[in-house]
Amino acid sequence: MAGFAVIGGGIAGLAAALFAARRGNRVTVFERDARAPGTSGSTLDEDFFGRRRTGVPQAAQPHLMLGAARSVLRTEAPDVYDTIMRLGARERHELDWFEERPPARPGDEDLVTVQARRIVVETALTDALHAEPRAALRYGEPATGLLVDPSSTPPRVRGVRTPLGAYEAELVIDAGGRRCASGEWLTGAGCRPPLVERHRTGIAYFCRWYRLPDGRADGPARPWTVSGGTFAGCAVFPADNGLFAVTLFVHTEDPTRGALRDPAVFEAAARTFPPGEAWLELGARPLSPVLATAGLDNRWSSLVDEQGPIATGMVGVGDAVTHTNPTIAQGMSLALWTARRVARETDPGAGRDRGHGCAPRPGTGSPDFVTEHYAWALRTLKPWFDFQVTTDRAIGERFAVRDFGAGPTRQLAALFECAQEDPEVMRARAKVRHLAAPPSEAYGAPEVRARVAAWLAARPDYVPGTAGPDRREWDKITAP
């Protein structure tokens, strides 16, 4: 086979394979699911609601494509982006929150959310890969191990094993997600274990999918964002083709969480929050049971430790590098950033020279290739991972102790509420949301800080977290 072997056919694996193939590499994707999305005459809804994907438990949960991911696709694969839109996705500009959009500034064009289910993005990527002569997709043939040469220092990964055989590869791209056993395969072959950083979130999610009434293409312009109090929250996720998901989230130890699986209890609880009430009041038709997910963590994984690469010939993309809790919805963006970087660094048309006075590009089997990949990830991805960890810790602690406190959490809550009235603060929030600027830069800008301070000064008794029910009302709704 040679070429590249990609473990996993989710968004990260499909994107990595497509970007690499379009730069002249031969790529084979190994995916456990027996068939590709959109095949055998199935519809998007049949694929989305009718398939149980054990390897991707988050597949039926809401997804958003933020501006960072949108930018990658529009640059690397504009045909894929066009297909996503043709399949029913919708664009929403952050500054459309206001009845009249404020005057444009450079960068505003990237503050756009693409509202679509995961299946839409996967279908578009799969269709593009099927048309690539240098790409092959092996559905129903999961990777079950690695071919490793232990005589190299460090050991060299030379391919993958599947139930049907062994395949040599110049480079293995691990896109197997957080449940992939690649770390065990490496240690079983004599490598040092991968470096893993893990943070539990303490947040449980419950979502239900709905379709807007006939003749209605979209829901209310506002409110549809997250709202919540000190013990629970609610968010609405508009999607493609008139679908939307309502999500409730509580602490994993909240005694009422089990009751939220009941559709009647779920809807009654969702209606106590402004976004849930606004969207459910439209008379939408439910399409799914209540889908629960918990036990999530933020996990950072690296094949480089303090001694250097633990192996060569393999790098990770997507959740194999950074798995993040969905509260900020940044997972797709980080995955596409990484897929693009791998494709650029392995572009045979770019040669092995990076330009005048620059060192040659390391080969895919060299320690330097792995070292540079994870050094880039530390510079580019890790700050957003750390931001996710900090955000989730604040939410989890708030739910656990049922108090916002008076420190940074109150300030951030004030910034979010101020943004709903102030376009300049909303722009700053949108830049962080779409990974266009780090929080320290966007929120720390003097103008933004001054506007939030003035907003707070005009509200000396401001208490965050008042949207939604109080605890007594919540307990009454969720009581057996």
Side-chain angles (χ1 to χ4, degrees):
M1 180 184 96
F4 297 173
V6 179
I7 300 174
I11 290 175
L14 293 170
L18 181 65
F19 298 167
R22 289 187 171 179
R23 281 180 165 80
N25 293 293
R26 289 190 295 116
V27 183
T28 303
V29 179
F30 297 91
E31 166 56 37
R32 75 170 66 223
D33 279 358
R35 64 182 178 87
T39 57
S40 303
S42 60
T43 66
L44 287 173
D45 285 355
E46 289 169 342
D47 274 345
F48 186 71
F49 294 112
R51 295 169 62 196
R52 184 171 180 270
R53 301 174 64 181
T54 57
V56 193
Q58 72 274 25
Q61 294 292 323
H63 282 67
L64 291 176
M65 181 187 294
L66 302 182
R70 174 177 175 267
S71 178
V72 172
L73 276 185
R74 293 178 74 199
T75 301
E76 295 289 323
D79 57 314
V80 172
Y81 189 77
D82 289 345
T83 300
I84 289 171
M85 301 307 298
R86 178 177 54 78
L87 290 173
R90 298 176 63 88
E91 292 185 337
R92 183 187 185 279
H93 197 286
E94 290 292 331
L95 296 179
D96 284 342
W97 173 268
F98 303 99
E99 291 184 4
E100 182 177 347
R101 190 187 294 185
R105 290 188 179 181
D108 282 358
E109 65 276 8
D110 292 326
L111 306 181
V112 176
T113 299
V114 179
Q115 299 169 343
R117 289 169 292 169
R118 178 188 179 110
I119 193 68
V120 172
V121 181
E122 289 181 325
T123 298
L125 286 167
T126 302
D127 288 350
L129 265 176
H130 278 308
E132 280 296 323
R134 288 178 291 270
L137 295 96
R138 296 182 177 271
Y139 281 89
E141 188 175 355
T144 56
L146 298 171
L147 303 178
V148 181
D149 179 2
S151 65
S152 302
T153 305
R156 167 71 190 275
V157 176
R158 296 192 175 276
V160 299
R161 298 184 187 277
T162 78
L164 300 182
Y167 301 86
E168 295 278 344
E170 176 189 348
L171 176 68
V172 174
I173 301 174
D174 181 7
R178 61 190 176 102
R179 294 190 172 185
C180 185
S182 57
E184 298 174 13
W185 299 338
L186 287 170
T187 54
C191 301
R192 301 187 304 275
L195 194 64
V196 177
E197 176 184 340
R198 179 179 282 111
H199 304 266
R200 302 296 290 181
T201 64
I203 305 172
Y205 298 88
F206 301 83
C207 91
R208 195 179 193 198
W209 286 93
Y210 299 83
R211 189 184 300 279
L212 290 167
D214 291 343
R216 179 141 196 173
D218 202 357
R222 61 166 89 171
W224 63 270
T225 53
V226 173
S227 79
T230 57
F231 58 87
C234 175
V236 173
F237 295 87
D240 55 279
N241 298 296
L243 272 67
F244 68 92
V246 178
T247 296
L248 294 174
F249 43 99
V250 298
H251 195 272
T252 51
E253 296 181 4
D254 193 299
T256 66
R257 58 175 286 198
L260 296 176
R261 292 177 179 269
D262 183 311
V265 173
F266 175 89
E267 287 210 4
R271 286 178 178 272
T272 63
F273 295 94
E277 172 66 10
W279 283 75
L280 293 176
E281 189 63 22
L282 299 175
R285 177 167 58 91
L287 300 177
S288 75
V290 178
L291 307 173
T293 183
L296 299 174
D297 58 12
N298 293 304
R299 190 186 67 184
W300 178 266
S301 303
S302 175
L303 299 185
V304 178
D305 60 17
E306 65 280 359
Q307 299 179 50
I310 67 171
T312 63
M314 184 169 85
V315 293
V317 299
D319 287 355
V321 178
T322 173
H323 171 259
T324 50
N325 190 41
T327 47
I328 303 179
Q330 63 182 11
M332 192 185 304
S333 296
L334 302 184
L336 293 184
W337 276 355
T338 314
R340 177 178 61 185
R341 189 204 181 261
V342 171
R344 287 178 174 178
E345 291 301 304
T346 59
D347 185 347
R352 293 299 184 189
D353 193 328
R354 304 186 186 193
H356 299 293
C358 295
R361 177 183 294 170
T364 55
S366 74
D368 286 348
F369 183 84
V370 178
T371 299
E372 290 186 10
H373 178 79
Y374 287 97
W376 170 88
L378 280 172
R379 294 191 306 271
T380 309
L381 309 181
K382 189 62 159 55
W384 292 105
F385 172 85
D386 292 339
F387 177 54
Q388 180 81 60
V389 169
T390 300
T391 300
D392 289 340
R393 182 180 295 120
I395 295 173
E397 290 176 355
R398 186 181 94 207
F399 283 1
V401 302
R402 301 178 187 176
D403 185 17
F404 272 96
T409 302
R410 181 176 183 270
Q411 288 291 121
L412 192 59
L415 185 149
F416 287 174
E417 293 200 35
C418 177
Q420 297 179 19
E421 305 171 15
D422 188 319
E424 293 308 314
V425 180
M426 177 63 84
R427 180 179 278 111
R429 183 185 179 187
K431 285 181 178 179
V432 175
R433 174 174 168 79
H434 292 277
L435 284 66
S440 58
E441 176 185 319
Y443 298 160
E447 182 181 12
V448 172
R449 295 177 64 180
R451 287 172 179 263
V452 175
W455 188 91
L456 272 172
R459 299 164 179 78
D461 299 324
Y462 167 68
V463 177
T466 56
D470 60 28
R471 188 70 204 194
R472 180 177 297 181
E473 181 183 3
W474 180 265
D475 288 343
K476 182 178 179 180
I477 290 171
T478 58

